[in-house]
């Protein structure tokens, strides 16, 4: 058996769509599951779609997600170059080989003729297919045109009868009538290959054994198959992955605002979450288990379990999974991720950022939740005294004022300013006063946060604020409630 070699072949067109990330991930997993090679090839022959900086996005995303490639433009390898535009000299020879075999032909049709042909077909409501006009040129005519320097393309010469059949690992046996196959362009008039041609030549020259890509390429695959056969090359295993849709069952588009790795990363999803979630877009191990690290996936991934049916991008599930990953992090690892978010709102350098991080760890769904949850730490926000009224806690403005007044002198005497100490002292006070716990906890938390919801309870927050600030805020509360 040949060594398994897969490739990720993105076109540098911008952010990495989750569909592309999934292709990269599955290609990586198929290779690594069998100790094979994972290759990165940049497909940049379509210069019009090229976006500045997009290659760096690709490197960066593969690096962050841990999908390290064994060969590629930046790491080299035996079958380079790995950037298609740097390979542009090699395709013409292959196209000419097909011409000599009668599997391709020169086409000199100009834009006017093709436009007219297209208009004519569209008028009849058909799908445009080149009418093979130039396939009938004699050898002499072709030579003459070439010698005269007429612009040309090279097209595939597909038969008009019979069927082309190939196997896809996910979609099964696919058979299409040859008269539906367009004589697609292989070499463009600028001399560059089309994606349709380059992918076949490159996959062959790079020894790719498994071709993993989105199912939008499924309908072109019979034509690719014909190319392999015309060259006499071994056809790779095809793994076409299902469409990814939004919850309304439409194709997940940029407009959703969460269609790329970069979108999700910016929105506070952990890299581990994104990789795990994307792995499950169209695949599952056949058990109920859902939490997988990249290493787990390498062990268990079986591409034959990829589904045909479209995968729905379920936002609720993504959020749930992210909160699970947040909880799973060690406090130190979480702190590394949370610190930049904490520092966007907590500017006081004397704050114990690590304690804040611990406070939010069990309560954040996404990292971007963090700032809004702790925006009261630096400065007490404006709040209305109605916040002290809580039915379940049985608090009113009046009894809250009583509690705060009773708490203040006790708190003033505490020197060991720790949540547990504060808790014990206040519980003693609750007992002396004969009130309910909530009638002390709610007013204190309200006074020191000015918010109805906070991560952590009154004493955890008080510890972070420190004694002076806590007492200050309680005094402000007393003042506000004293009308
Ligand atoms: N360059 C193509 C794309 O970005 C890759 C398709 C393939 O993997 O063959 O969609």
């Amino acid at each position: 058996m040949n060594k398994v070699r897969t490739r990720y072949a993105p076109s540098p067109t911008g952010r990495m769509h989750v569909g592309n990330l999934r292709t990269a991930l599955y290609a990586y997993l198929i290779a690594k599951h069998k100790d094979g090679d994972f290759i990165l090839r940049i497909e940049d022959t379509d210069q019009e779609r090229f976006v500045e900086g997009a290659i760096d996005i690709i490197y960066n995303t593969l690096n962050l997600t841990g999908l390290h490639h064994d060969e590629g433009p930046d790491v080299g390898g035996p079958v380079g170059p790995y950037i298609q535009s740097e390979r542009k000299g090699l395709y013409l020879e292959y196209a000419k080989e097909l011409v000599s075999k009668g599997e391709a032909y020169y086409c000199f049709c100009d834009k006017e003729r093709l436009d007219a042909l297209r208009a004519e077909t569209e008028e009849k409501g058909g799908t445009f297919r080149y009418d093979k006009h130039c396939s009938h040129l004699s050898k002499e005519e072709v030579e003459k045109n070439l010698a005269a320097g007429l612009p040309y393309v090279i097209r595939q010469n597909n038969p008009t009868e019979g069927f082309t059949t190939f196997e896809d690992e996910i979609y099964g046996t696919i058979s299409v009538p040859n008269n539906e196959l367009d004589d697609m362009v292989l070499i463009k008039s600028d001399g560059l290959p089309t994606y349709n041609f380059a992918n076949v030549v490159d996959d062959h020259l790079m020894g790719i054994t498994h071709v993993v890509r989105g199912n939008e390429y499924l309908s072109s695959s019979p034509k690719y198959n014909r190319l392999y056969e015309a060259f006499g090359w071994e056809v790779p295993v095809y793994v076409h992955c299902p469409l990814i849709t939004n919850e309304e069952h439409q194709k997940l588009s940029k407009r959703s605002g969460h269609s790329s790795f970069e979108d999700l990363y910016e929105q506070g999803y952990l890299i581990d979450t994104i990789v795990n979630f994307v792995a499950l877009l169209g695949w599952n191990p056949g058990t109920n288990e859902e939490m997988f690290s990249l290493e787990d996936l390498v062990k268990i991934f079986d591409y034959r379990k990829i589904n045909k049916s479209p995968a729905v991008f379920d936002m609720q599930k993504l959020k749930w999974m992210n909160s699970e990953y947040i909880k799973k992090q060690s406090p130190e690892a979480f702190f590394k991720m949370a610190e930049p978010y904490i520092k966007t709102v907590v500017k006081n350098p004397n704050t114990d950022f690590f304690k804040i991080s611990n406070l939010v760890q069990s309560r954040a769904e996404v990292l971007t939740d963090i700032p809004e949850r702790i925006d009261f730490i630096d400065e007490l926000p404006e709040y209305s005294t109605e916040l002290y009224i809580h039915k379940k806690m049985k608090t009113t403005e009046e009894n809250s004022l009583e509690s705060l007044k009773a708490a203040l002198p006790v708190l003033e005497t505490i020197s060991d300013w720790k949540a547990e100490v504060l808790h014990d002292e206040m519980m003693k006070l609750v007992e002396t006063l004969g009130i309910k716990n909530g009638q002390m906890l709610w007013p204190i938390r309200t006074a020191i946060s000015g918010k109805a919801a906070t991560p952590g309870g009154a004493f955890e927050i008080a510890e972070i604020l420190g004694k002076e600030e806590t007492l200050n805020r309680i005094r402000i509360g007393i003042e506000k409630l004293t009308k």
Side-chain angles (χ1 to χ4, degrees):
M1 232 323 251
N2 289 341
K3 187 171 194 189
V4 170
R5 284 173 64 82
T6 64
R7 85 313 192 259
Y8 174 49
S11 303
T13 55
R15 298 191 148 203
M16 198 185 286
H17 189 277
V18 290
N20 287 338
L21 178 59
R22 183 190 58 181
T23 296
L25 175 62
Y26 288 1
Y28 173 86
L29 294 174
I30 290 172
K32 294 302 150 191
H33 185 67
K34 292 276 188 202
D35 274 326
D37 298 327
F38 174 58
I39 291 140
L40 173 65
R41 179 173 79 225
I42 303 290
E43 303 207 323
D44 61 344
T45 56
D46 192 349
Q47 297 290 341
E48 278 164 32
R49 291 173 63 216
F50 189 83
V51 175
E52 217 30 66
I55 296 189
D56 289 331
I57 296 184
I58 294 166
Y59 289 142
N60 192 41
T61 307
L62 292 181
N63 190 31
L64 285 176
T65 50
L67 305 181
H68 301 298
H69 45 285
D70 302 292
E71 297 168 28
D74 52 343
V75 293
V79 291
Y82 294 88
I83 297 194
Q84 238 166 21
S85 58
E86 292 173 16
R87 304 168 66 79
K88 64 184 174 212
L90 65 85
Y91 303 100
L92 188 59
E93 284 316 303
Y94 287 98
K96 285 184 180 166
E97 184 183 331
L98 292 180
V99 172
S100 69
K101 289 179 163 168
E103 297 284 346
Y105 56 88
Y106 289 90
C107 171
F108 302 92
C109 289
D110 56 18
K111 193 171 173 302
E112 284 70 41
R113 178 166 194 279
L114 293 174
D115 285 348
L117 203 60
R118 190 168 284 120
E120 199 182 306
T121 340
E122 277 165 15
E123 214 168 280
K124 289 185 201 146
T127 322
F128 171 74
R129 257 178 239 120
Y130 180 66
D131 63 355
K132 284 189 175 284
H133 179 78
C134 288
S135 70
H136 308 298
L137 294 177
S138 68
K139 229 179 158 173
E140 293 69 34
E141 281 171 299
V142 171
E143 295 299 334
K144 201 181 83 205
N145 286 346
L146 290 177
L150 285 191
Y152 68 85
V153 301
I154 297 180
R155 291 182 182 273
Q156 185 177 21
N157 190 16
N158 286 314
T160 49
E161 285 171 359
F163 285 83
T164 295
T165 302
F166 75 100
E167 293 296 322
D168 180 80
E169 284 297 319
I170 313 305
Y171 291 84
T173 305
I174 298 195
S175 205
V176 287
N178 288 332
N179 64 9
E180 285 181 11
L181 302 179
D182 182 35
D183 281 357
M184 64 181 181
V185 173
L186 306 178
I187 300 286
K188 296 181 279 185
S189 54
D190 61 6
L192 287 177
T194 55
Y195 160 76
N196 288 326
F197 189 48
N199 91 84
V200 171
V201 174
D202 288 343
D203 284 342
H204 170 72
L205 294 179
M206 294 183 173
I208 302 303
T209 58
H210 296 62
V211 168
V212 186
R213 62 184 161 216
N215 72 358
E216 66 270 29
Y217 292 100
L218 197 59
S219 61
S220 301
S221 295
K223 293 184 272 192
Y224 306 151
N225 212 65
R226 296 199 66 82
L227 292 174
Y228 281 103
E229 280 170 5
F231 282 119
W233 294 341
E234 195 178 332
V235 181
V237 175
Y238 288 119
V239 181
H240 284 97
C241 306
L243 184 71
I244 300 175
T245 75
N246 61 20
E247 280 149 34
E248 283 76 49
H249 302 284
Q250 293 142 346
K251 192 173 169 182
L252 184 70
S253 76
K254 267 194 199 164
R255 256 175 301 138
S256 70
H258 54 252
S259 64
S260 71
F261 171 81
E262 291 72 25
D263 292 340
L264 296 171
Y265 189 58
E266 283 167 11
Q267 287 162 22
Y269 292 94
L270 271 50
I271 294 165
D272 289 348
T273 310
I274 303 173
V275 170
N276 191 155
F277 181 78
V278 163
L280 297 175
L281 289 173
W283 172 88
N284 67 70
T287 64
N288 288 333
E289 219 182 313
E290 294 199 293
M291 302 288 285
F292 302 107
S293 66
L294 187 60
E295 295 80 69
D296 298 335
L297 290 168
V298 166
K299 279 190 213 118
I300 62 170
F301 192 76
D302 177 356
Y303 64 83
R304 282 164 295 220
K305 292 206 174 108
I306 296 174
N307 299 310
K308 283 201 263 289
S309 45
V312 180
F313 191 104
D314 179 347
M315 222 43 215
Q316 281 320 102
K317 181 167 170 179
L318 177 65
K319 286 202 175 130
W320 163 79
M321 193 174 263
N322 205 53
S323 57
E324 292 297 305
Y325 269 101
I326 286 181
K327 281 182 218 144
K328 269 169 64 146
Q329 303 300 311
S330 70
E332 292 73 24
F334 181 70
F335 180 50
K336 265 202 195 127
M337 301 173 195
E339 195 181 14
Y341 291 91
I342 295 173
K343 289 193 167 163
T344 61
V345 288
V346 183
K347 305 282 183 196
N348 180 352
N350 299 323
T351 317
D352 189 332
F353 296 104
F354 188 62
K355 274 188 193 158
I356 299 180
S357 172
N358 289 341
L359 204 61
V360 290
Q361 182 165 9
S362 58
R363 294 158 178 106
E365 262 186 345
V366 283
L367 297 173
T368 44
D369 281 348
I370 295 173
E372 180 259 327
R373 303 220 169 157
I374 55 169
D375 58 4
F376 63 89
I377 291 183
D378 257 13
E379 218 179 300
L380 179 67
E382 267 308 314
Y383 69 94
S384 144
T385 50
E386 280 172 26
L387 217 55
Y388 284 101
I389 308 170
H390 196 295
K391 232 174 153 186
K392 232 167 104 193
M393 300 286 180
K394 299 202 185 336
T395 57
T396 61
E397 294 189 25
E398 292 72 27
N399 66 15
S400 292
L401 177 60
E402 291 314 310
S403 296
L404 293 183
K405 274 183 170 169
L408 186 62
V410 181
L411 293 172
E412 278 169 343
T413 63
I414 299 175
S415 51
D416 188 12
W417 199 258
K418 296 250 169 52
E420 309 83 59
V421 180
L422 300 173
H423 171 269
D424 294 349
E425 290 304 319
M426 287 300 107
M427 286 305 117
K428 274 190 230 156
L429 182 60
V430 162
E431 232 186 280
T432 323
L433 296 174
I435 57 174
K436 297 202 170 298
N437 290 353
Q439 289 172 324
M440 181 57 77
L441 297 176
W442 185 261
I444 292 183
R445 202 180 56 128
T446 305
I448 64 178
S449 71
K451 294 184 89 172
T454 56
F459 307 122
E460 286 167 293
I461 295 171
E463 181 176 329
I464 288 169
L465 292 177
K467 181 169 177 179
E468 202 184 324
E469 183 62 17
T470 303
L471 297 182
N472 246 340
R473 292 184 182 193
I474 289 181
R475 287 187 197 112
I476 293 171
I478 294 174
E479 210 172 290
K480 271 174 168 286
L481 288 166
T482 315
K483 289 183 201 151

